Amino acid sequence: MAKFIRPNKNLLKNAQHYAMLDAFITVFVEAGFTVQKLVSLFSILKNSFSEEDRYYMLARASEIIARRNAADTKRDKLYTKLYALVRLWRNSGNSVLEAAAEALVKVFRLYAVNTSAQIDAESGQMDNLINDLSTAEMQANIETIGGKWLFDEMKAAHEEVKSIRLEQGQEEGEKVAGALVKARKACDEAYDNLISAIEAFDTIADDPAPYEAFIRKWNGTLKIYQDMLDRKSGGSTAGTANPDGNGDSTTTTPENPDTPDTPENPGTGGTTPTDPNPGTGGGGTGGTGDEG
C-alpha cells in the first residue's frame, strides 16, 4: 500500500502553500477520478482553495502591507549599516573613535535587534535600542564616528513602521491576514481528508493501480516542497518516499506562515567610512569582526 509524503504545511510561507495546493489540484484533475467520495472531497478542497486564493491575492495587493514592508526593509538596512559602522571603528587604531564605538557596541549587544523577527517583536527591540542611543552621551558617540545621519534615518524609518502598524490595526489589512490564516487551515483540512481517502481506496480497491500511480506522482511533485522545509529547518522534516511511496509524517514545530523574508544580517554589509575627525589621528579601515 502506498502512502503520501506528509510534510508540515504550516512551515510553508503563503506563496509556497498556495503553489503546492494549486499543483495538487492540477494533478488530481489530470488523474480523472470519478469515485463520488473523492469527487465530493475534491469539491470541498476547491471551494476552500478559492477562499485562500481570494485572501492571498488581497494580502499581496494590500497597499498598507506593501508600505509597511518597504519601511521595515529600509529600517533593517539602515540598522545594518549603522551597526557595521560601529563595529568597524572599534578597530580603527584611533583611541577616540575606538572608545566611542566600544560604548555604542555595548548598547547594540544589549538589545540584539533581530531584523528577521516578526515586525512587532523587532519594533519592540528597536524601541529600546533607539531610546538608549538617543541619550546625550550616545548621541555624542554617534557623532564621533560619523553615524548621525544613519541613526536619524533609521529612527525615522522606525517611526514610519510603527505608524503604519497602528494604521494597519484599524484597516482591512489585519482582517485579510486573519482570514488568510483561516482559509489556509480549511484548505489543509480538506487536503488531508482527500489524501487520506485516496490512501483508503488504494487499500480496498479491486484495482489499486490508479491510486498507487497518483500517490507516486504526487509524492514526486511534493518532494519540491519537502526539500524547501528541509533546507529551512536544517534537517529532515518529512520521511523520504520509499519505492512503494511510503513516507513519515513530520513532527517539526510549525512557525508563523506569515514570517517575513530574512533581511540583511547585521555586520555583513555597511558603509566604508572616512575618518570623521581627521585631526585626531589616522582612522584606518580596521576589521569588521565583532570581537571581544
Side-chain angles (χ1 to χ4, degrees), residues 147-273:
K148 187 66 165 63
W149 70 274
L150 281 171
F151 173 80
D152 289 343
E153 289 196 16
M154 180 185 76
K155 182 177 179 181
H158 174 60
E159 292 302 321
E160 183 179 2
V161 171
K162 291 203 301 180
S163 175
I164 294 173
R165 286 294 289 153
L166 183 62
E167 179 183 351
Q168 185 181 4
Q170 302 166 354
E171 292 288 343
E172 192 66 22
E174 288 291 339
K175 296 178 183 177
V176 167
L180 179 56
V181 170
K182 184 177 179 180
R184 275 188 58 153
K185 289 179 179 177
C187 276
D188 287 344
E189 182 178 352
Y191 170 85
D192 291 339
N193 288 340
L194 179 52
I195 65 172
S196 293
I198 293 171
E199 288 177 344
F201 277 103
D202 177 39
T203 303
I204 65 175
D206 292 334
D207 179 14
Y211 305 106
E212 296 272 348
F214 178 83
I215 292 171
R216 287 195 174 91
K217 182 175 183 180
W218 178 238
N219 279 350
T221 303
L222 196 58
K223 276 289 292 175
I224 297 170
Y225 300 94
Q226 179 185 326
D227 290 344
M228 286 180 189
L229 302 185
D230 289 348
R231 288 195 299 271
K232 189 177 185 69
S233 67
S236 178
T237 60
T240 302
N242 293 326
D244 66 350
N246 291 335
D248 300 321
S249 61
T250 176
T251 57
T252 303
T253 303
E255 67 173 17
N256 189 318
D258 295 319
T259 303
D261 294 333
T262 304
E264 299 175 53
N265 184 35
T268 60
T271 308
T272 303

Side-chain angles (χ1 to χ4, degrees), residues 270-284:
T271 308
T272 303
T274 56
D275 191 338
N277 296 303
T280 60

Side-chain angles (χ1 to χ4, degrees), residues 30-100:
E30 290 173 350
F33 291 120
T34 57
V35 177
Q36 186 57 44
K37 177 66 173 178
L38 299 184
V39 172
S40 296
L41 290 173
F42 179 64
S43 178
I44 294 172
L45 174 61
K46 281 190 68 178
N47 289 338
S48 298
F49 184 66
S50 293
E51 284 295 288
E52 179 174 344
D53 180 30
R54 174 189 172 196
Y55 289 112
Y56 174 56
M57 294 305 171
L58 283 174
R60 289 185 64 194
S62 173
E63 179 185 353
I64 198 167
I65 291 176
R67 288 196 291 116
R68 180 203 68 186
N69 290 343
D72 180 49
T73 299
K74 181 179 180 180
R75 176 180 67 175
D76 291 345
K77 288 182 177 180
L78 289 164
Y79 166 82
T80 297
K81 290 179 180 180
L82 180 59
Y83 193 19
L85 181 67
V86 169
R87 295 168 68 182
L88 182 63
W89 285 120
R90 289 179 69 211
N91 302 285
S92 65
N94 180 300
S95 60
V96 175
L97 294 171
E98 286 183 352

